[in-house]
Amino acid sequence: MMIGLTGPNCSGKGEIANILKEKRYKYYSCSDVIREEAEKRKLEKTRENLIAIGNELREKLGPNVLAKKLLEKIKEDRKKGQKDFIVDSIRNPNEVEELKTDNEFSLLGINAPIELRYERAKARGRVENVNNFDDFKQMDEKENSSNPNAQQLNVVYKMADKYVFNDSTLEDLKKRLDFALKYEKKERPSWAEYFMKITSVVAERSTCLRHNVGAIIVKNKRLLTTGYNGAVRGNEDCLKLGCKKDELGLESGFGSEECRAVHAEQNAIIQGALHGINIEGATLYCTTIPCRMCAKEIVNAGIKEVITYSDYAGAKGSIEFLQNAGVNFRKIPRPNNSINFKD
């Protein structure tokens, strides 16, 4: 196993490294490569010098250079029988990508409140040129450059597979680390995937024999209304009567006035009007691209975004209509509709 450590200053990376060393993990740090370079140049190993050298190495040899050099050392260690490793001080996303080429790598993000981290820094006397809290915050900011070859700690932290929050005692930290290492990372769906899955479930209520379509309207991550394509309230549906358009020999996309169904998007909008729900500025999720008729109603309802995953011939006109009216249109990959949770 190879565990990467990332997190801001004085968050507890060193403590976690020490805990893992007791479990026979061999310790490596991206900073070691930089320190070796500082020794070659006969430079003092100050924080400022190390940051400058690290940025220079990434600029000249590629942003993944530190990780690449460490992987070479780890490869040799494995030949000698060493199995478990720690890689500390990961501060650039390209280093993460390089380390992830090793199937055993997992990134652990460690953090703590900045006020607590500042107190730790003062107690240890380890941080140079920090005289007060504002200096400490500025030091944090220096590790979050927009330069892809420099330190981008916030970006790296978000790439972590698991997280440990270190705001308590050493014993609590050990328990939290054990918990993080014990359980596999749970892959949560994005908000778009989450709501699209719900939309797909809504489509299961459809009574159309040709296409089951679902639509939902969402605002501020809150589900407002749902709709599926089916017969007008109080009327028999196609499941009982058969498809009217089939009887008339009409292809999909033609003869909508003959269809018994109200479209899913229409039903979702109607539910808002019926129950007094404000849908202005909301997002409409639909299992397929709305037709031109529904697109008009979407625009007039004040909906600002449409998200779908499906397509059909002739949909281009609807997309252009929505976009010309200022409605953002997004097509995302079809979500995995399996339901994954621990019961």
Side-chain angles (χ1 to χ4, degrees):
M1 181 182 289
M2 189 194 313
I3 298 175
L5 304 180
T6 191
N9 294 300
C10 301
S11 56
K13 299 186 296 296
E15 293 293 350
I16 285 182
N18 289 333
I19 295 168
L20 292 174
K21 286 177 189 176
E22 292 175 1
K23 299 176 184 288
R24 299 186 180 278
Y25 281 73
K26 184 168 183 178
Y27 180 85
Y28 280 108
S29 170
C30 290
S31 299
D32 291 342
V33 178
I34 302 172
R35 290 190 184 95
E36 290 171 6
E37 186 66 24
E39 287 179 6
K40 289 179 185 177
R41 301 183 187 189
K42 298 181 180 180
L43 291 174
E44 189 179 353
K45 297 172 189 174
T46 64
R47 186 175 193 83
E48 294 295 329
N49 282 345
L50 293 177
I51 289 175
I53 293 170
N55 291 346
E56 182 186 331
L57 288 174
R58 295 187 191 98
E59 188 76 41
K60 288 183 177 179
L61 302 175
N64 61 344
V65 59
L66 305 182
K68 187 174 285 188
K69 287 180 178 292
L70 289 185
L71 284 179
E72 290 171 0
K73 294 182 179 182
I74 288 170
K75 184 177 180 180
E76 292 303 313
D77 284 337
R78 281 177 172 154
K79 291 178 182 178
K80 299 173 185 176
Q82 179 67 35
K83 294 182 178 180
D84 297 321
F85 303 89
I86 310 159
V87 179
D88 197 1
S89 301
I90 303 169
R91 290 182 167 86
N92 184 280
N94 292 282
E95 293 165 359
V96 179
E97 294 299 337
E98 182 66 31
L99 290 165
K100 282 188 174 180
T101 61
D102 189 298
N103 292 331
E104 294 190 18
F105 177 77
S106 177
L107 183 61
L108 185 66
I110 304 100
N111 212 337
I114 189 170
E115 295 82 5
L116 179 56
R117 294 193 289 109
Y118 173 60
E119 292 302 322
R120 289 173 181 166
K122 286 199 302 181
R124 297 171 190 172
R126 286 174 46 189
V127 183
E128 308 154 7
N129 303 321
V130 173
N131 299 312
N132 52 51
F133 185 62
D134 287 338
D135 288 346
F136 188 76
K137 287 198 294 185
Q138 287 178 11
M139 184 179 68
D140 266 13
E141 290 168 5
K142 287 181 180 179
E143 295 193 331
N144 291 295
S145 170
S146 58
N147 181 352
N149 294 313
Q151 296 185 359
Q152 296 183 313
L153 192 57
N154 282 346
V155 178
V156 172
Y157 185 78
K158 291 176 182 177
M159 297 172 75
D161 299 296
K162 299 176 182 180
Y163 296 93
V164 171
F165 200 64
N166 178 28
D167 63 343
S168 187
T169 64
L170 180 59
E171 286 306 309
D172 280 341
L173 180 61
K174 289 179 179 179
K175 290 176 183 177
R176 292 173 186 181
L177 176 61
D178 286 342
F179 183 86
L181 297 181
K182 179 179 178 181
Y183 292 99
E184 292 295 321
K185 180 184 178 184
K186 183 181 185 298
E187 294 291 343
R188 298 175 69 198
S190 67
W191 284 108
E193 291 169 334
Y194 168 71
F195 285 120
M196 192 57 79
K197 276 191 174 187
I198 295 173
T199 309
S200 299
V201 173
V202 172
E204 291 186 338
R205 287 284 302 163
S206 168
T207 59
C208 180
L209 296 175
R210 288 188 173 187
H211 303 290
N212 299 149
V213 181
I216 67 172
I217 296 176
V218 174
K219 192 173 184 179
N220 298 326
K221 298 177 183 176
R222 177 169 166 255
L223 177 57
L224 301 180
T225 68
T226 68
Y228 53 85
N229 55 334
V232 174
R233 181 183 294 185
N235 284 257
E236 297 283 4
D237 58 50
C238 295
L239 295 178
K240 294 181 180 178
L241 300 178
C243 177
K244 184 72 176 291
K245 289 173 70 173
D246 276 352
E247 292 174 12
L248 298 173
L250 297 171
E251 296 180 10
S252 293
F254 298 93
S256 295
E257 68 280 0
E258 299 293 342
C259 182
R260 295 188 179 91
V262 178
H263 287 191
E265 305 93 307
Q266 292 174 314
N267 270 327
I269 292 170
I270 290 167
Q271 289 299 309
L274 183 64
H275 298 289
I277 300 170
N278 181 10
I279 62 173
E280 186 175 6
T283 296
L284 183 140
Y285 289 82
C286 190
T287 54
T288 191
I289 296 172
C291 68
R292 182 69 71 91
M293 178 175 63
C294 288
K296 293 176 182 178
E297 296 177 19
I298 287 168
V299 171
N300 273 5
I303 289 169
K304 292 302 180 185
E305 184 174 36
V306 172
I307 300 176
T308 185
Y309 64 76
S310 186
D311 207 340
Y312 60 89
K316 185 178 178 182
S318 292
I319 297 171
E320 290 177 350
F321 180 86
L322 289 168
Q323 291 174 332
N324 289 338
V327 177
N328 184 45
F329 175 82
R330 271 202 294 153
K331 186 179 177 185
I332 65 172
R334 181 172 184 147
N336 178 357
N337 284 335
S338 61
I339 306 298
N340 300 308
F341 67 99
K342 290 186 178 180
D343 204 347

